[in-house]
Amino acid sequence: MMNPMTRRSFAALTGGLLASAKVFAQAQTQPQAPLITRAIPRGGERIPAVGLGTASIFSQDSPATRDKASAVVQALVKQGGRLIDTASSYGDAESVLGAVISAAGLRGKLFIATKLESPDPQELKRSLARLKTASVDLLQLHNVSDKQQSLQPFRDWQQQGLCRYVGITSTFRGDYPAIEAVLQREKPDFVQIDYSIDNRAAEKTILPLAADVGAGVLTALPYGRGRLFRAVQDKALPDWARVFADSWGQFFLKYLLGDPRVTAVIPGTGNPGHMADNAAAMRGPLPDAGQRQRMVDFIKVF
Ligand SMILES: NC(=O)c1ccc[n+]([C@@H]2O[C@H](COP(=O)([O-])OP(=O)(O)OC[C@H]3O[C@@H](n4cnc5c(N)ncnc54)[C@H](OP(=O)(O)O)[C@@H]3O)[C@@H](O)[C@H]2O)c1
């Protein structure tokens, strides 16, 4: 997806930047800066803009997994985060989260999003039991692939107080037409879609439609399942980016948060240090349109 970087293009992009080395001093993540929150379009409730994704991270329940999950959730909350995204299909993740969250008494501090494979009341019952909660904050229909899929059962459950918001998800380009049709017709409260600095198809398709129908946007795969870190593993963060980012993680997340249509990003991690790094992207300045273009151009050369 990224082109090989030439010495010339790298020099062109970084040339003259040494002169801006003084921006190092202004750093960037600013722990005392206010938390970046975003309003959920339907209703205006604000949620912190960086959450935690749990696909494949907590999928095998064990004491070690619970310890890891506990440390990651604590790191999220310590930095002011609230949003955790999981799914009934992520192995044991719901059970691990339910155990960890209830043991720490954190349910009231969290915004829990889960996903069902189909509008099956038994599947919902199982998710609520595993998460040890009477209701979730967001219930999403996972991997929408058919234009005719209905959210009516989810709306009924919303009426019954089993979820506060309803949503749909996909990370498959071939299913975007289905996502668009369901967004248009059902007007869910959220759409969760794959979006990262090197995978920007959603910018032109899903994000404008989400804005039109008043749906919040959660970005799945913000690091392309770690692909972005592998691409920059031997590259230094450019000086000009240090105005708004202290790490590559923050660079990638702040690119996404620089789009006001994005409600929250949900990077996956089983590492509390990475969780703290990700959550730090919720503070300090965000890149403007010009800086975002420069970020894309910079990443393209790798
Ligand atoms: N169809 C759908 O609805 C759908 C599909 C896919 C994903 N999702 C959602 O999107 C979430 C995110 O996707 P993902 O977890 O697959 O991929 P991702 O967030 O794009 O990337 C996760 C990878 O990045 C690494 N990482 C995270 N923070 C880092 C940091 N600060 N520094 C260095 N490495 C870091 C993680 O390793 P470490 O564990 O070592 O930190 C992991 O290898 C999922 O968890 C899930 O909630 C939804």
Side-chain angles (χ1 to χ4, degrees), residues 33-37 48-49 79-81 279 282-283:
L35 201 65
I36 298 171
T37 62
Q79 303 261 355
M282 265 188 304
R283 298 186 191 270

Side-chain angles (χ1 to χ4, degrees), residues 9-299:
S9 59
F10 183 77
L13 281 160
T14 55
L17 294 173
L18 286 177
S20 63
K22 61 182 178 192
V23 297
F24 273 113
Q26 300 173 352
Q28 308 72 341
T29 49
Q30 303 173 359
Q32 73 287 17
L35 201 65
I36 298 171
T37 62
R38 291 274 158 84
I40 297 171
R42 204 148 292 132
E45 177 187 2
R46 298 196 77 86
I47 55 170
V50 177
L52 166 66
T54 62
S56 78
I57 305 283
F58 307 138
S59 58
Q60 290 197 320
D61 196 359
S62 70
T65 302
R66 289 188 185 205
D67 286 351
K68 190 166 71 168
S70 176
V72 170
V73 171
Q74 294 286 356
L76 171 75
V77 171
K78 189 172 170 205
Q79 303 261 355
R82 289 181 59 209
L83 169 62
I84 300 181
D85 179 72
T86 189
S88 66
S89 58
Y90 293 171
D92 299 328
E94 286 183 329
S95 304
V96 169
L97 285 169
V100 159
I101 290 167
S102 76
L106 284 174
R107 176 64 188 97
K109 291 195 166 177
L110 295 171
F111 185 104
I112 297 182
T114 195
K115 313 183 192 80
L116 302 185
E117 299 305 301
S118 67
D120 173 0
Q122 291 310 316
E123 195 184 351
L124 173 60
K125 200 171 159 193
R126 174 176 174 265
S127 288
L128 295 177
R130 293 190 342 154
L131 286 163
K132 296 188 190 300
T133 185
S135 66
V136 289
D137 297 284
L138 168 60
L139 188 66
Q140 302 157 107
L141 183 57
H142 199 192
N143 290 333
V144 163
S145 59
D146 177 344
K147 291 182 179 179
Q148 298 309 321
Q149 277 172 282
S150 165
L151 286 181
Q152 192 52 51
F154 283 51
R155 291 290 186 200
D156 294 343
W157 293 330
Q158 189 178 27
Q159 287 293 315
Q160 294 162 28
L162 298 172
C163 59
R164 297 201 301 127
Y165 299 98
V166 303
I168 57 174
T169 84
S170 177
T171 53
F172 300 110
R173 193 79 50 87
D175 290 334
Y176 280 16
I179 284 282
E180 288 170 309
V182 177
L183 258 179
Q184 193 77 258
R185 190 186 62 245
E186 305 276 339
K187 302 190 174 29
D189 306 312
F190 278 93
V191 59
Q192 181 179 148
I193 201 77
D194 55 314
Y195 181 29
S196 60
I197 193 169
D198 67 341
N199 169 26
R200 301 185 306 283
E203 268 175 1
K204 300 265 183 296
T205 52
I206 309 299
L207 268 58
L209 182 55
D212 275 359
V213 303
V217 174
L218 303 183
T219 72
L221 305 178
Y223 297 140
R225 292 200 169 92
R227 175 182 68 238
L228 285 168
F229 289 110
R230 292 188 287 279
V232 298
Q233 60 187 346
D234 55 351
K235 311 284 187 305
L237 194 66
D239 290 351
W240 51 264
R242 291 185 176 273
V243 175
F244 53 82
D246 272 337
S247 67
W248 279 117
Q250 293 161 30
F251 179 99
F252 298 135
L253 297 182
K254 283 199 168 182
Y255 172 78
L256 302 175
L257 294 175
D259 188 321
R261 298 170 297 187
V262 170
T263 311
V265 296
I266 46 167
T269 183
N271 176 325
H274 288 171
M275 183 69 256
D277 180 33
N278 297 339
M282 265 188 304
R283 298 186 191 270
L286 291 173
D288 62 21
Q291 288 169 314
R292 290 181 86 233
Q293 186 56 53
R294 190 174 192 181
M295 294 165 90
V296 169
D297 292 342
F298 188 76
I299 289 299

